[in-house]
Amino acid sequence: MRVNSGRWIILPFVIMLLCILCACSDLREETTDISEDSAKLSLDIPGNCDMHYTTEAVYEKSSSNLVGVVPSNNGFTVYSEKSYIDLNLDWSVEAEHVYRNNQFVSAVAMQQDFYAFYRDGLRCGIMSIDNSLFEFDADSMELISVLPVENGVYTLSLHPEHLYFNDDEIKLPDDNYYQYSMAGFWKLLDNSFIVIKKYHCGSTMDDFVIDEVCLYPLRGSSLGEPTLLEDFYGDIQNCSTDGKYNYFTLNEKLYRMNEDSVECLGGLLSLGVNPDTLRQVLTAEDGNILVVDEGALTLLKPSIGLAQSQILRIGLYPDTIPDFTDFALQYSREVNALGLEIKSFSNLSDVNLAILSGEIDVLALQSSSVAQGFSTRDILLPLDEWMSESLTTDCIFSNIVSACRSGESIYYFPTCFSLVGMCLPSQVLTTCGNQFESYEMLRNCLDSLDGESYPLQTKRAALDSFLRLGLDNWVDFEAGIASFENDDFTWILEFCMQGYTDYDEWAANAGGRESSILKTAVTLRSPYAVEDLAHAYENRNTGLSSTPYGTAGTVFPGPSAINTGLAIDSPFVLCIPASSPQKETAVLFLNWIISVDTQRWWLEGHEGNYYNGFSVNPKLTYDSITQCYSIYSEDELDSLVSQCMGYIQGADHFSSGYGSPIEIIIHEEAEAYFAGECSAQECESRIQNRVSIYLAEQN
Amino acid sequence: MKQPIKLKNQNHHHGILFLAPSLLGVLVFYLAPLVVIGYYALMSRPVGGSFVGLQNFKAILQNRAFMLAAKNTAILCACAVPLAVSLSMGMAILLDREIPGKSSIRTALLSPIMVPVASVVLIFQVLFHQNGVINAFLTGYGLNPIDFFHSPWSRVMILLLYLWKNLGYNMILFVAGLSSVPKDLLDMAELEGASGYRKFVSIKLPYLGPTILFVTVLSFISAMKIFREVFLLTGAYPYESLYLLQHFMNNTFQSMDYQKLSVAAILMALAVSVLIGCLFYAEKRIGKDVEYT
C-alpha cells in the first residue's frame, strides 16, 4: 500500500515534466516556421553583373527623380519625374551601385520621407502632376500608399480623418485610423487581400508596437470584412504577391509564404539589399523579385536548393554604424557565395556574451577604447599574425598601425579616419614655437595675445573638445596611473567654466561674437578641411580676419609631453574575436575591406562626402589629396599635399572614445563643478579617485 | 529473505525520484556555475585560454581595486552586521514589554521593507545631496555642509540606509525568538529574585542563540546586497570609500575580465563560508547547554 501511494505521488512530477517537454516542443515549432526553412530554399542571384541595375534614362545621380516602380507585362515600369521606361528582363544593364545619399524616392509611402505626394505645395509644384502616377487632391491628403496589384493600381490614402482605399473609405474596427498602416497586397486561396497593420504606442510616443496584422479582402474597388492574421508578430513590411507566393520582409529578412508555409529567403544584407533604405519588394509572374532600396534595383530569382553555404556574422556595437552597411553591402554583392549577417548590440554585456559564445566572427566597434579593453583581455585575434601582409605600409599608414598596437600585437584597425587637433592662427603659432608641451605653455601664449583668446561654448562641449584630443596627458593606460590633480587640468576646468550653461544660453548670447583665437578641437576629415585652414579666421561677412593675426590657421596636437601628433578619430574599428569559429573567413573579410580595390571603391563612392575622413591606404589617400588640390599651381600643390600628409602621418594616438568609463567619470564630476557644488581642486580629486579605481581594475 | 531487500531498493529509487527535481536545480543553477567559475579562475583568458594554475589568484591579491573593494566590504559588514543585530534585538526586547503604541511602532519599523530600492535611493539623494535637506539644515545653523557622497561620511550614509532598511525585519525575528523563551523559567527566576539583566544574560540570550545566528547571517547577506543601493546612488565607479566587492565583480563582468571576476567570486565565497562556519561553531558552543522545548 505504501509502495503504491508512492507511485501515485510521482504522477504529478511526470505530468509536470511532460508539460515542460510539450512547451519546449511548441516553442521549437514556432521558431522553425520562420527561420529554419531557409536551408530548403534560397535565392539564386544570377551573377555579379545581373545583380544591380541602374538606368540612365530615369536615374540621375545626385537627383531624387525616381518616384515609382510597378510591374508591367514583361518586366517593370520605372517612373521618374520626367518620364518612364519599361524594363524587360533583357533591358540594358549597367552594373553600377548608386549610394543611398542619392535619395531614391519610392512609390511606397509607408515612410515619412516619401515626400513626392505630400500635400506640400512646393514639392508638388516641382513635380509636374501630369508626370506623376496618379492625380490626387493635394489639399486634403496627408499621406498616400501606392501599390500595384494584378491589373490595376490600388492606392491607400490617409485623409485628415479617414483612411481610404482608392475612393472608398475603409471600415476599420475602431476610430483610431491613425494607428493603421498598409503593408501591401497578398493573394491567398485565389483571393486578393490588402494587408493592414495596427500599431499602438508603447511607453513613449516614438515607441510603436505592432498589435495585429489584418487581411482585408478586395471586393472590386472596395474592401470586405477583415480577418486577423494569427501567429504573425513584428513589423512586417513590403508585402507583395505574384499570385503564387506572397512576399514580405521582417527583421531585415525576406520571406515568402503561401497557404501552407512560410519560408525565409535570406537576410536582405546578404542579398545585396540595404535593409535600412529598403522601399519596395515587387514580384513578376516568372517568379523573379525586384527589390528596390535607395541605392539600387536588385533582381532576385528564387530557386530551391541553392542556400548560401556560409554566413559571416558581424557584430556592431553600439547598435548602428551606418557607414559600415556600405561595406557589408558591397561585400555581399562581390562575394555571392558568402552571406553576411549583422547583429547589433546596444550594451557591452551582450557583446561580451556574444564573444564568449562564439556568436560573432567580426566585431565593428565605434569606440577604439572598447577594442583596446578587449585586446588587453587577450580575447581578440592578433591580426598581425593572421593578416600580416595586409597590415603593411602598402595597405595602411604605419602610424595608424602603431596607434592600434596594444602590447606587442595589433588587434584592431580602422578603415578610415579623421584627425583632431587644436587650432591657432599660424602667425601666433609661429611666435609661440609651433608646439606646446604643456597646457601652461599654451595658457601663457594665449594670455599674451590681443583679442578674445578663449572660445565660448557650452561648458560640456568645451570639456568634450579637450577630451577628444586624447586622454594620454592624464592617463597612462599601460602603467594604470591617472594624474588629474595638476595645474593643467585645473586650467581646463576653469576654462570650461567660462562657457555657457546650456545650448539655449549659448544661442541667446554667442550669436554676434567674434570667433575666438583658440579653437579647442578641430576635425580634419578631408583635404578640403586642410585647404580651408587658410581661411580659418576669416569673417564670412567681411572677408577680413576675425582676429588681429591674419586669416590662416594651423592645426596642432593638444598640449602633451607624450604625444607629438594629432589624435586619430575613426567612425569604427574592426577586430576578430578569438572565439570566432570562422577565423579564416573573417580574416578574408578584413583583408577585402582593407584591400586597395575596396578602399578605392569606398573613396570613389564617397566623393564629396567626407564625413568618414581619409582612407587608411597611404597611396590612395595621397592620390586623393593630390587630385583634390589639382587646381593649384605646382608649388602650392606640393605645399598643401605635404601639409596634409604631414598631419596624417604625424597622428599618433586615438582620440578619447565616446562613452568610455573615464570620459563618463570626468563629465559626471565636472557637472558638479560647473553647478558650483565643489571647487576645481575637489573636482580633480574626485576624478582622480574614481579614475584610479577604474585603472586599478583594468590592470 | 529477498522480499524486504527489494522493497528497500524500491524506496531508495523513490527517494532519488523525489529528490531529482531539486538535485537537477542544484546541479544546473549552483554546481555547474561553480565548476565554470573554477575553470575560468584557472585559465589565462575566457576564450581559448591556457591553464595558469593559481596565477590569477596571485594577480588579484596584488590588484589594488580588489583589495580596496574587499577592505570596504569588510568594513561595511563589520560595522553594519553587529549594529543591525544588536539594535534590532534591543528594539525587540523593548517591544516585548507592555508599552503604549506597540503595534504602531512595529508597523512603522517594518514599513521600509516595502519601499522599492529606487524610491529609497531617491529619498537618500534628496537627503544627502550636496544641496540636499541635511546640508540645508546644517548651513542654516551656520555649519559647513558635508559632501556625503565623496567623503568618509559616505560610509555613514550607507550604514544608515542599511539599518533603516533592515532593522524592522530583524526585529520581528527577534520578537519571534523571544516568544520561544520558556515562561516558567522566567517566572522561576523572578521568584528567585533575579534582576532583569541576569534574566536576559542567563535565560533569554542563550535561548535567542539560534535567532541571533540566523539574524546575523541574514544581516550579513543584506550587507552584501547593499551594492544595489550604492550602485544606484553613485554608479559603477563610486568614490573610493564606497567601492565594494560587487562593484569590482560587476565592472569586471562588463569588461569581460572573467578571470578576475571568477577569482574574486571564489575568494568571496570562501570568506563568507569561513565566517558562517565560525558563526555556527560559536552558536553550537554557546547554545550547548540550552534545552529547547
Side-chain angles (χ1 to χ4, degrees):
Chain A
M1 186 64 190
R2 193 162 57 89
V3 173
N4 283 342
S5 65
R7 275 183 189 150
W8 285 112
I9 287 169
I10 294 167
L11 196 62
F13 289 100
V14 174
I15 292 168
M16 199 169 74
L17 196 66
L18 285 172
C19 288
I20 292 167
L21 286 173
C22 287
C24 290
S25 63
D26 278 355
L27 280 175
R28 202 175 52 183
E29 268 177 26
E30 272 181 32
T31 50
T32 48
D33 277 348
I34 296 293
S35 60
E36 290 190 4
D37 282 343
S38 57
K40 296 178 193 167
L41 188 134
S42 69
L43 292 176
D44 174 19
I45 300 163
N48 284 346
C49 65
D50 287 339
M51 194 171 160
H52 310 290
Y53 304 97
T54 59
T55 54
E56 290 292 339
V58 293
Y59 210 123
E60 292 173 12
K61 278 189 175 182
S62 70
S63 164
S64 52
N65 62 342
L66 192 59
V67 294
V69 186
V70 294
S72 59
N73 290 337
N74 299 317
F76 306 98
T77 305
V78 180
Y79 289 84
S80 77
E81 291 176 6
K82 295 174 183 171
S83 64
Y84 67 90
I85 63 159
D86 286 319
L87 302 176
N88 346 8
L89 294 177
D90 58 346
W91 75 73
S92 167
V93 170
E94 186 186 341
E96 185 183 359
H97 178 53
V98 183
Y99 294 91
R100 69 167 181 275
N101 55 4
N102 281 343
Q103 294 284 320
F104 178 92
V105 180
S106 164
V108 180
M110 299 301 292
Q111 319 293 334
Q112 282 294 321
D113 53 356
F114 176 42
Y115 45 89
F117 294 106
Y118 267 51
R119 61 177 174 177
D120 181 325
L122 284 175
R123 193 64 199 150
C124 286
I126 292 167
M127 184 174 168
S128 162
I129 211 78
D130 296 334
N131 290 338
S132 64
L133 289 171
F134 313 99
E135 291 187 19
F136 296 114
D137 179 1
D139 291 334
S140 61
M141 212 166 291
E142 277 193 347
L143 182 73
I144 302 157
S145 291
V146 182
L147 278 175
V149 65
E150 295 181 335
N151 301 321
V153 178
Y154 290 125
T155 63
L156 188 82
S157 53
L158 189 66
H159 290 242
E161 290 180 355
H162 306 281
L163 194 65
Y164 277 84
F165 171 68
N166 287 348
D167 291 332
D168 300 323
E169 184 178 351
I170 294 176
K171 287 177 188 171
L172 296 168
D174 51 54
D175 293 335
N176 302 324
Y177 66 92
Y178 53 86
Q179 290 183 346
Y180 292 87
S181 166
M182 188 172 76
F185 292 91
W186 275 352
K187 197 160 190 175
L188 286 162
L189 300 167
D190 290 330
N191 292 314
S192 295
F193 296 91
I194 178 172
V195 187
I196 291 188
K197 299 177 284 184
K198 188 185 177 189
Y199 297 84
H200 81 264
C201 282
S203 52
T204 65
M205 285 302 285
D206 297 332
D207 179 18
F208 287 100
V209 182
I210 302 291
D211 252 358
E212 55 195 42
V213 180
C214 291
L215 296 181
Y216 283 73
L218 294 172
R219 302 267 184 267
S221 61
S222 61
L223 298 176
E225 285 301 308
T227 309
L228 183 69
L229 199 61
E230 290 179 353
D231 299 330
F232 265 80
Y233 306 103
D235 191 5
I236 65 167
Q237 292 177 334
N238 303 297
C239 298
S240 60
T241 182
D242 59 5
K244 188 179 173 190
Y245 286 104
N246 300 310
Y247 297 87
F248 64 95
T249 61
L250 176 66
N251 297 332
E252 302 190 353
K253 284 180 181 165
L254 180 63
Y255 293 88
R256 77 174 181 184
M257 57 92 82
N258 56 16
E259 292 83 2
D260 303 321
S261 64
V262 179
E263 296 164 317
C264 178
L265 301 179
L268 289 167
L269 198 69
S270 295
L271 300 171
V273 178
N274 189 344
D276 299 335
T277 61
L278 179 67
R279 292 296 184 196
Q280 270 182 312
V281 176
L282 299 167
T283 56
E285 286 179 2
D286 60 0
N288 286 351
I289 310 165
L290 182 71
V291 185
V292 183
D293 66 28
E294 288 183 1
L297 310 177
T298 308
L299 187 68
L300 304 169
K301 184 187 283 181
S303 64
I304 308 289
L306 286 166
Q308 281 162 331
S309 56
Q310 215 174 357
I311 299 283
L312 189 71
R313 298 151 310 165
I314 301 168
L316 299 188
Y317 174 71
D319 305 41
T320 50
I321 306 178
D323 317 304
F324 185 77
T325 312
D326 289 342
F327 281 108
L329 274 174
Q330 183 65 10
Y331 190 71
S332 291
R333 287 162 182 169
E334 282 189 18
V335 189
N336 289 336
L338 183 68
L340 281 187
E341 189 180 317
I342 289 190
K343 295 183 174 186
S344 299
F345 299 96
S346 55
N347 68 64
L348 200 53
S349 302
D350 292 342
V351 180
N352 293 343
L353 292 174
I355 292 176
L356 201 65
S357 58
E359 200 183 304
I360 43 178
D361 303 307
V362 173
L363 200 51
L365 300 163
Q366 203 172 26
S367 169
S368 60
S369 62
V370 177
Q372 176 71 23
F374 283 148
S375 62
T376 55
R377 305 270 163 274
D378 212 14
I379 50 177
L380 298 179
L381 211 63
L383 298 178
D384 41 354
E385 289 175 19
W386 285 72
M387 45 187 293
S388 54
E389 286 176 14
S390 295
L391 295 177
T392 58
T393 49
D394 287 341
C395 291
I396 185 164
F397 283 104
S398 57
N399 55 309
I400 302 278
V401 174
S402 301
C404 293
R405 193 169 286 281
S406 172
E408 291 177 358
S409 289
I410 295 152
Y411 297 94
Y412 58 92
F413 64 84
T415 60
C416 45
F417 64 97
S418 52
L419 303 168
V420 186
M422 285 183 160
C423 183
L424 276 175
S426 304
Q427 197 183 327
V428 170
L429 205 64
T430 312
T431 318
C432 293
N434 286 320
Q435 179 100 12
F436 301 100
E437 285 185 5
S438 70
Y439 277 92
E440 190 183 356
M441 288 173 69
L442 175 66
R443 185 176 56 210
N444 292 338
C445 174
L446 292 173
D447 289 347
S448 68
L449 300 176
D450 298 328
E452 193 164 2
S453 305
Y454 303 113
L456 284 177
Q457 307 157 282
T458 62
K459 294 176 169 66
R460 189 183 171 86
L463 186 60
D464 242 345
S465 62
F466 280 107
L467 298 183
R468 283 192 66 209
L469 299 168
L471 292 168
D472 307 54
N473 230 19
W474 304 289
V475 182
D476 183 345
F477 288 95
E478 293 281 325
I481 296 168
S483 51
F484 286 94
E485 291 176 291
N486 55 46
D487 291 344
D488 281 353
F489 201 72
T490 310
W491 178 74
I492 288 176
L493 287 175
E494 287 170 354
F495 177 91
C496 298
M497 188 65 168
Q498 296 171 37
Y500 297 106
T501 307
D502 53 31
Y503 181 77
D504 290 340
E505 196 190 19
W506 175 83
N509 295 291
R513 298 184 76 94
E514 289 284 311
S515 73
S516 62
I517 295 175
L518 175 71
K519 294 178 191 294
T520 41
V522 170
T523 305
L524 303 176
R525 289 199 174 94
S526 71
Y528 297 116
V530 178
E531 188 187 359
D532 288 347
L533 286 174
H535 309 283
Y537 292 93
E538 193 174 273
N539 185 312
R540 284 181 186 173
N541 297 325
T542 62
L544 301 172
S545 171
S546 58
T547 73
Y549 302 99
T551 59
T554 302
V555 175
F556 61 98
S560 166
I562 298 154
N563 299 311
T564 54
L566 300 177
I568 301 161
D569 198 4
S570 172
F572 60 87
V573 294
L574 294 166
C575 48
I576 301 174
S579 59
S580 162
Q582 304 183 91
K583 294 186 185 67
E584 287 83 6
T585 317
V587 167
L588 281 176
F589 175 68
L590 294 198
N591 275 326
W592 173 85
I593 219 167
I594 208 174
S595 69
V596 177
D597 287 344
T598 308
Q599 288 291 310
R600 184 179 290 119
W601 160 82
W602 178 79
L603 267 175
E604 286 169 359
H606 288 75
E607 193 179 356
N609 174 19
Y610 283 99
Y611 178 75
N612 296 316
F614 302 94
S615 161
V616 288
N617 187 293
K619 187 172 182 310
L620 291 177
T621 298
Y622 180 84
D623 291 347
S624 144
I625 292 168
T626 312
Q627 193 183 353
C628 175
Y629 296 148
S630 57
I631 53 163
Y632 289 98
S633 68
E634 200 169 319
D635 287 347
E636 284 173 317
L637 186 141
D638 286 347
S639 161
L640 274 168
V641 169
S642 63
Q643 185 188 1
C644 196
M645 290 302 284
Y647 284 141
I648 292 170
Q649 289 169 334
D652 57 358
H653 64 287
F654 275 91
S655 70
S656 149
Y658 288 107
S660 74
I662 294 182
E663 197 182 334
I664 291 169
I665 291 170
I666 292 172
H667 272 299
E668 277 178 6
E669 295 303 338
E671 284 298 323
Y673 167 65
F674 295 151
E677 291 168 8
C678 62
S679 66
Q681 284 71 27
E682 281 171 335
C683 175
E684 283 166 27
S685 164
R686 290 174 186 180
I687 292 171
Q688 173 72 22
N689 189 298
R690 294 178 63 189
V691 172
S692 296
I693 293 174
Y694 169 76
L695 292 171
E697 242 179 26
Q698 302 298 309
N699 284 278
Chain B
M1 282 297 284
K2 286 179 183 173
Q3 189 72 12
I5 294 168
K6 197 178 174 185
L7 274 174
K8 195 180 173 185
N9 277 347
Q10 275 184 346
N11 283 340
H12 180 65
H13 289 314
H14 289 152
I16 289 176
L17 274 173
F18 281 126
L19 273 175
S22 306
L23 279 176
L24 197 70
V26 169
L27 192 73
V28 172
F29 297 110
Y30 290 90
L31 294 180
L34 207 65
V35 171
V36 173
I37 281 177
Y39 168 79
Y40 280 137
L42 301 173
M43 302 302 281
S44 62
R45 61 182 186 185
V47 181
S50 55
F51 180 77
V52 290
L54 297 177
Q55 204 175 307
N56 290 326
F57 287 83
K58 192 180 161 191
I60 208 167
L61 291 172
Q62 292 170 345
N63 186 294
R64 195 180 77 81
F66 174 78
M67 296 310 283
L68 175 71
K71 188 184 92 177
N72 286 339
T73 310
I75 290 173
L76 186 72
C77 290
C79 298
V81 176
L83 273 173
V85 174
S86 54
L87 287 176
S88 54
M89 189 160 65
M91 288 194 302
I93 290 165
L94 272 176
L95 286 179
D96 199 36
R97 296 178 180 183
E98 289 303 320
I99 55 168
K102 188 169 144 178
S103 173
S104 306
I105 294 170
R106 193 183 297 169
T107 309
L109 287 168
L110 264 178
S111 57
I113 299 170
M114 293 177 283
V115 183
V117 176
S119 309
V120 176
V121 166
L122 187 69
I123 292 165
F124 271 71
Q125 269 173 343
V126 170
L127 284 175
F128 292 97
H129 190 262
Q130 186 84 10
N131 300 323
V133 175
I134 293 176
N135 274 332
F137 183 77
L138 290 175
T139 46
Y141 281 91
L143 298 168
N144 288 329
I146 298 168
D147 185 0
F148 287 101
F149 290 98
H150 301 93
S151 67
W153 280 95
S154 55
R155 282 195 187 125
V156 177
M157 178 185 70
I158 294 301
L159 201 61
L160 280 174
L161 194 156
Y162 169 81
L163 291 173
W164 178 71
K165 191 106 175 90
N166 292 289
L167 279 185
Y169 183 62
N170 289 356
M171 181 202 70
I172 292 297
L173 293 173
F174 275 117
V175 167
L178 283 171
S179 68
S180 70
V181 178
K183 264 275 192 241
D184 50 349
L185 273 182
L186 290 171
D187 292 342
M188 197 180 289
E190 188 78 38
L191 282 173
E192 303 248 340
S195 65
Y197 173 76
R198 186 72 186 163
K199 278 193 283 186
F200 175 73
V201 171
S202 302
I203 301 171
K204 288 183 180 173
L205 204 55
Y207 273 94
L208 280 177
T211 312
I212 292 172
L213 175 76
F214 183 62
V215 170
T216 307
V217 172
L218 273 188
S219 303
F220 186 67
I221 292 166
S222 301
M224 290 297 206
K225 279 159 58 179
I226 199 74
F227 162 74
R228 277 185 314 181
E229 285 80 354
V230 179
F231 182 83
L232 288 170
L233 274 169
T234 58
Y237 292 97
Y239 185 72
E240 204 170 80
S241 59
L242 286 183
Y243 182 72
L244 303 173
L245 266 177
Q246 287 88 342
H247 279 105
F248 180 82
M249 292 201 272
N250 195 47
N251 295 341
T252 46
F253 176 74
Q254 284 284 339
S255 58
M256 213 181 167
D257 200 345
Y258 293 156
Q259 274 56 48
K260 279 186 197 147
L261 168 65
S262 305
V263 173
I266 288 171
L267 292 178
M268 193 171 115
L270 280 176
V272 171
S273 304
V274 168
L275 198 75
I276 291 182
C278 290
L279 285 171
F280 272 109
Y281 178 74
E283 196 272 331
K284 204 174 173 185
R285 287 291 300 268
I286 294 165
K288 66 181 176 183
D289 299 329
V290 181
E291 283 179 15
Y292 297 99
T293 52

